[in-house]
Amino acid sequence: MLTLDQATYDAIVAHAKRDHPDEACGIVAGPEGSDRPERYVEMVNAAGSPTFYEFDSTDLFQLYKEMDANGEEPVVVYHSHTATEAYPSRTDIGLASEPNAHYVLVSTREHGNNEGPVEFRSYRIVDGEVTEEEVTVVPELSAR
Amino acid sequence: MAIEVRIPTILRTYTGGEKAVTADGASLSALIDDLEAGHPGIKDRLIDNGDLRRFVNVYINDEDVRFIGGLEATLKDGDQVVVLPAVAGGAV
Ligand SMILES: [Zn+2]
């Protein structure tokens, strides 16, 4: 199960809506091994595409360096689908390389840049195996 | 010559769980061969058809090797190499 605080959930949805029709992407970092998504980090989609996303390689390096220095790991890796359902594509599955992360997918196909609900789903992707999990949104993460 | 190579989570199965290992080589290509000698199977995860895999990023001292010669990029004692899988995907 993925437990997210409301502000982080809202930030992911807002990012997906803002970047529609291109895919939006980013991570939520948290202390290593804690499974707590605490620090929201929006990334630029270097592919700038409605059907593909990729972190810029220099940004990626900076991000991992930062996480390393903070003792963090990517707890959530999110991206949006803008014309299809919020389910990992074959490419998503093939390229998933964080076995400890929750892969969040948001679909903006219904309302695009406008107000309105989005599909917001979360998965584990390990060795090509996709397992969907429940998403629980709480007002704030419990105290550590 | 000792070069520290930082290994991403997904490849730590090849390094017995180690986050970093040391290896040797005057070029990235030689370094990867040396890594393979100590950690069989890892080379195939980095290289495909004689070139770096499209979705694997390798950095030498903070610099993406694609901008400094790819597999021919040169290394010297004390350099740090970081391997990071691309964070990427698509809708198809
Ligand atoms: Zn996707």
Side-chain angles (χ1 to χ4, degrees):
Chain A
M1 183 177 75
L2 170 63
T3 304
L4 263 185
D5 66 286
Q6 187 71 48
T8 303
Y9 176 92
D10 291 347
I12 293 172
V13 172
H15 185 204
K17 284 183 179 284
R18 187 174 358 111
D19 281 11
H20 181 93
D22 285 346
E23 293 194 4
C25 55
I27 68 145
V28 190
E32 235 178 305
S34 70
D35 202 32
R36 292 170 60 89
E38 292 185 350
R39 190 167 70 87
Y40 171 73
V41 187
E42 218 168 275
M43 300 296 287
V44 169
N45 178 2
S49 157
T51 54
F52 199 75
Y53 82 95
E54 181 170 11
F55 292 8
D56 171 77
S57 81
T58 304
D59 293 352
L60 176 76
F61 183 78
Q62 289 308 329
L63 173 68
Y64 272 76
K65 199 163 143 174
E66 221 174 82
M67 287 194 293
D68 211 37
N70 295 342
E72 293 172 320
E73 64 184 352
V75 177
V76 169
V77 178
Y78 74 87
H79 77 286
S80 63
H81 285 173
T82 59
T84 53
E85 70 171 324
Y87 191 86
S89 67
R90 235 187 314 159
T91 314
D92 290 335
I93 298 165
L95 294 178
S97 49
E98 288 294 351
N100 301 324
H102 303 267
Y103 281 88
V104 163
L105 276 101
V106 174
S107 175
T108 53
R109 65 177 164 173
E110 289 265 8
H111 298 283
N113 306 107
N114 305 312
E115 291 289 303
V118 296
E119 255 187 281
F120 191 108
R121 297 164 70 180
S122 181
Y123 308 86
R124 296 289 189 166
I125 308 176
V126 180
D127 293 334
E129 284 274 340
V130 178
T131 312
E132 184 158 12
E133 59 183 3
E134 204 182 312
V135 178
T136 304
V137 180
V138 295
E140 267 174 45
L141 293 182
S142 56
R144 244 190 273 169
Chain B
M1 187 150 104
I3 291 156
E4 189 200 16
V5 186
R6 311 272 304 174
I7 305 291
T9 311
I10 190 101
L11 297 182
R12 288 179 199 156
T13 46
Y14 298 97
T15 60
E18 291 298 322
K19 285 184 174 185
V21 296
T22 51
D24 240 336
S27 67
L28 180 58
S29 171
L31 180 86
I32 290 174
D33 284 335
D34 190 53
L35 265 184
E36 173 70 15
H39 312 282
I42 201 166
K43 181 177 179 177
D44 185 55
R45 302 294 298 271
L46 304 175
I47 287 181
D48 182 38
N49 267 323
D51 214 339
L52 263 187
R53 286 187 177 271
R54 161 73 178 83
F55 293 107
V56 173
N57 297 313
V58 179
Y59 307 84
I60 298 175
N61 305 331
D62 301 11
E63 192 103 48
D64 186 334
V65 298
R66 290 196 172 83
F67 304 127
I68 52 171
L71 288 174
E72 305 314 312
T74 54
L75 290 163
K76 56 183 187 322
D77 200 23
D79 280 348
Q80 193 194 46
V81 171
V82 176
V83 178
L84 287 177
V87 179
V92 193

